[in-house]
Amino acid sequence: ATDSAPKTAVAVAPTAVSFQNSTKKINPYRLPDGSTVWLHPGAKLAFAPSADDTRREVRFSGEAFFDVFRDPAHPFVIRSGRMTTQVLGTSFNVKADPASARYEVAVLTGKVAVRTTGERPTTVLLTPRQRAVFDLPTDRLTKTPVPNR
């Protein structure tokens, strides 16, 4: 006897997409949601594509400038070790080198929420010309003005 019952489709996890800038210059990468990320040399970005484009989450290390497409219903989330950056639509720079004891997020336009995990989870809300500095050894997150260059 053969089994003639209909087969049930099994969902397969989407394959992760990753970018690594192995050049000596800053390179732009366009994400499926319309956001653009300029990866500095050595920076890495990875994400699992969403079948319905509602999940906007990436894993990131290194330094990059993010210009995030505005979509208030679907926040854009960047995970860098024990630091998470959440945005609705804005432009900002992230420094999260795994070899560094300090991570930094600096906002150019819009609003960004930066959260830490660990023993003392902390959240700060940043607006233009503000930055968050996360000191990993002390597990301390502080908000300061962006210094003039």
Side-chain angles (χ1 to χ4, degrees), residues 17 19 27-38 45 47 67 69:
V17 175
F19 301 117
N27 287 321
Y29 296 88
R30 187 110 169 140
L31 302 181
D33 73 341
S35 298
T36 304
V37 182
W38 284 267
L45 179 90
F47 62 93
D67 189 0
F69 179 77

Side-chain angles (χ1 to χ4, degrees), residues 103-127:
Y103 292 175
E104 183 178 314
V105 176
V107 175
L108 181 64
T109 63
K111 287 184 185 175
V112 173
V114 178
R115 282 191 313 272
T116 61
T117 59
E119 292 182 21
R120 297 179 305 160
T122 308
T123 301
V124 296
L125 184 64
L126 303 175
T127 55

Side-chain angles (χ1 to χ4, degrees), residues 104-108 127-132 144-149:
E104 183 178 314
V105 176
V107 175
L108 181 64
T127 55
R129 306 233 6 102
Q130 291 183 328
R131 70 178 177 170
T144 62
V146 172
N148 291 328
R149 294 190 183 227

